[in-house]
Amino acid sequence: MNHTVKTISQPPDIKSLTLPELSACLTRIGEKPYRAKQLYEWLHQKQASSFDEMTNLSKPLRSRLAECFRLPVLRQVQVQESKLDGTRKYLFALPDGNMIESVLMKYRHGNSVCISSQAGCRMGCRFCASAIGGLVRSLEPSEMLEQIYRIAEDTGERISNVVVMGTGEPLDNFDNLLRFLELLTDENGMHVSQRSITVSTCGIVPRILELADKKLQITLALSLHAPQQEKRRMLMPVAAQYELSDVIRACDYYFAQTKRRMTYEYSLIRDVNDGEEDARLLGALLGGKNCHVNLIPVNPVKERNFEQPDSSTAVAFKNKLEKNKINVTIRREMGRDIDGACGQLRKKFLSCQAGRTETV
Ligand code: SAH
């Protein structure tokens, strides 16, 4: 096992093991290898939340498993549903008591779940609520899966798309992200197709290159937010480490390796990055590339004073990009009334405990 396990003394996390690893573990405790497949199905297809549910395994085996392994389950603490679009935001407690949020979005083409990859985040983007308070810890693969499993159980509906765009920087939790992707797409598990998964990054260049070399068929979304290095650095502290030209080169490499069209995310902020010159430079930067640009009018965050541009400014920005033959959409905001939209996921529960807000 090479994924991050919190302390050495803890028993292994059974839900973060691949099927071959699980088989090896079961052989070691004297069980037949085919038991591993049954167990794996309980964990990842039937999404069991306890060993007791696994009724085709003998009672002695179930108690043996409970002694040898941890079975991490997320506890649903609260759900809010948007009156505007049916988006549901979940507050989950991790086994160690930390809280994370995940969002279910209902589209005509199917249900999409947006998951968190870390509790908190250390990237510090100026417009993002998730960054306030810093990183608490990275999530284990099982804790990323559990967000999807518990939402599937809660709604009883099929989940067709998964986006890793909640709290945290997925490429800052790289090994666990890869293992999560392997488990989620495994035909013996939930079997979500790689093409239905999007991972969003603030642009950690070496990890983008490494991910490209894995040649997965997932979509990579790059949070760009400015076409100039200086402005980007002002909005996103991570840009101080990686030059914009290197970030774009890494994205081109991702496309070259995977043939997956890149998505670029651009939060439009009034009088900050929504001007004609910004649109012109962005057009020049991305023109001729096989990519898609998502313009997201910035969502207000209480602690910041960034504002959305008027819709006419957003449309003019979009038109300018389209003149450069760039594929652009202005993203429909989901769940804005429940703070479920981009950058609004936050540790309300924790701040509530600290007495700073009454809304849980
Ligand atoms: N760390 C990853 C994924 C989480 S953020 C990343 O940076 O991509 C998911 C997306 O929401 C990113 O594009 C992020 O820049 C954007 N975002 C964050 N705060 C936002 C806000 N207040 N308004 C609009 N988009 C925001």
Side-chain angles (χ1 to χ4, degrees):
M1 260 184 301
N2 56 8
H3 67 279
T4 320
V5 174
K6 270 194 76 203
T7 56
I8 310 287
S9 58
Q10 285 199 76
D13 162 7
I14 198 165
K15 217 177 272 175
S16 291
L17 297 178
T18 63
L19 183 53
E21 288 169 341
L22 197 55
S23 300
C25 284
L26 286 196
T27 312
R28 240 177 285 138
I29 62 170
E31 285 295 329
K32 298 268 182 308
Y34 74 88
R35 289 277 177 224
K37 186 127 187 280
Q38 287 179 318
L39 182 52
Y40 194 85
E41 281 174 7
W42 276 111
L43 293 169
H44 299 286
Q45 282 183 358
K46 298 178 199 142
Q47 304 169 345
S49 48
S50 73
F51 290 112
D52 283 340
E53 289 169 46
M54 305 179 182
T55 43
N56 62 353
L57 304 181
S58 72
K59 266 203 164 158
L61 175 57
R62 281 185 261 156
S63 36
R64 189 80 202 280
L65 291 170
E67 279 164 26
C68 299
F69 296 101
R70 271 183 304 134
L71 177 57
V73 175
L74 300 193
R75 188 170 52 84
Q76 187 175 308
V77 177
Q78 196 204 14
V79 191
Q80 285 170 279
E81 184 164 324
S82 164
K83 291 190 181 64
L84 304 175
D85 52 40
T87 296
R88 286 167 74 80
K89 184 172 78 166
Y90 292 80
L91 181 68
F92 288 116
L94 299 170
D96 66 0
N98 277 306
M99 300 284 170
I100 53 162
E101 288 173 314
S102 325
V103 182
L104 170 76
M105 290 161 290
K106 297 187 170 195
Y107 295 101
R108 245 165 292 140
H109 61 263
N111 292 332
S112 188
V113 170
C114 174
I115 66 154
S116 295
S117 55
Q118 297 180 313
C121 184
R122 59 177 177 154
M123 297 299 138
C125 298
R126 302 297 302 151
F127 45 82
C128 180
S130 303
I132 299 165
L135 177 67
V136 180
R137 72 169 173 87
S138 283
L139 301 189
E140 294 192 32
S142 60
E143 294 169 329
M144 290 188 249
L145 289 170
E146 266 288 296
Q147 297 170 58
I148 304 163
Y149 295 177
R150 291 308 132 220
I151 291 177
E153 180 189 56
D154 182 58
T155 60
E157 287 180 31
R158 214 183 97 78
I159 287 163
S160 41
N161 290 280
V162 173
V163 297
V164 188
M165 267 190 205
T167 303
E169 168 49 46
L171 301 192
D172 189 36
N173 186 16
F174 194 67
D175 292 343
N176 287 348
L177 174 79
L178 290 181
R179 184 176 276 269
F180 157 76
L181 293 172
E182 184 179 347
L183 293 165
L184 182 65
T185 55
D186 186 354
E187 59 181 1
N188 296 299
M190 202 172 166
H191 201 190
V192 173
S193 115
Q194 289 187 7
R195 286 163 177 265
S196 306
I197 302 173
T198 299
V199 170
S200 178
T201 178
C202 62
I204 301 179
V205 170
R207 295 286 97 77
I208 295 176
L209 300 176
E210 215 175 320
L211 186 65
D213 286 336
K214 304 281 177 205
K215 298 193 175 175
L216 301 177
Q217 284 299 293
I218 60 171
T219 299
L220 184 64
L222 188 275
S223 297
L224 186 55
H225 306 314
Q228 313 91 327
Q229 167 64 13
E230 268 317 296
K231 197 177 277 189
R232 192 164 186 268
R233 200 168 58 98
M234 199 190 79
L235 293 170
M236 307 173 72
V238 68
Q241 283 177 60
Y242 306 109
E243 275 291 322
L244 181 56
S245 53
D246 292 335
V247 175
I248 300 294
R249 210 172 304 126
C251 293
D252 288 346
Y253 183 71
Y254 188 86
F255 177 70
Q257 288 293 76
T258 62
K259 297 287 171 287
R260 298 289 294 162
R261 187 174 76 161
M262 279 295 307
T263 294
Y264 290 95
E265 291 158 286
Y266 193 104
S267 297
L268 283 170
I269 310 171
R270 181 192 287 253
D271 299 332
V272 174
N273 64 359
D274 64 344
E276 273 187 32
E277 179 68 355
D278 299 301
R280 191 184 64 75
L281 290 171
L282 186 60
L285 188 67
L286 301 181
K289 293 189 195 300
N290 191 347
C291 67
H292 184 91
V293 175
N294 253 327
L295 297 175
I296 316 158
V298 74
N299 294 305
V301 174
K302 234 189 292 157
E303 291 77 354
R304 310 275 184 242
N305 51 9
F306 291 142
E307 287 174 26
Q308 297 190 346
D310 300 332
S311 63
S312 61
T313 309
V315 170
F317 198 94
K318 174 173 184 267
N319 291 342
K320 191 134 195 162
L321 293 180
E322 281 174 342
K323 285 218 176 79
N324 288 51
K325 305 214 166 12
I326 296 173
N327 231 297
V328 196
T329 42
I330 299 180
R331 199 198 279 168
R332 192 155 66 95
E333 298 162 59
M334 306 284 282
R336 226 182 124 192
D337 55 329
I338 54 167
D339 280 0
C342 291
Q344 296 186 319
L345 295 179
R346 45 187 308 147
K347 294 168 282 173
K348 274 205 175 149
F349 190 85
L350 294 181
S351 36
C352 173
Q353 283 181 324
R356 276 182 279 142
T357 155
E358 330 52 71
T359 38
V360 184

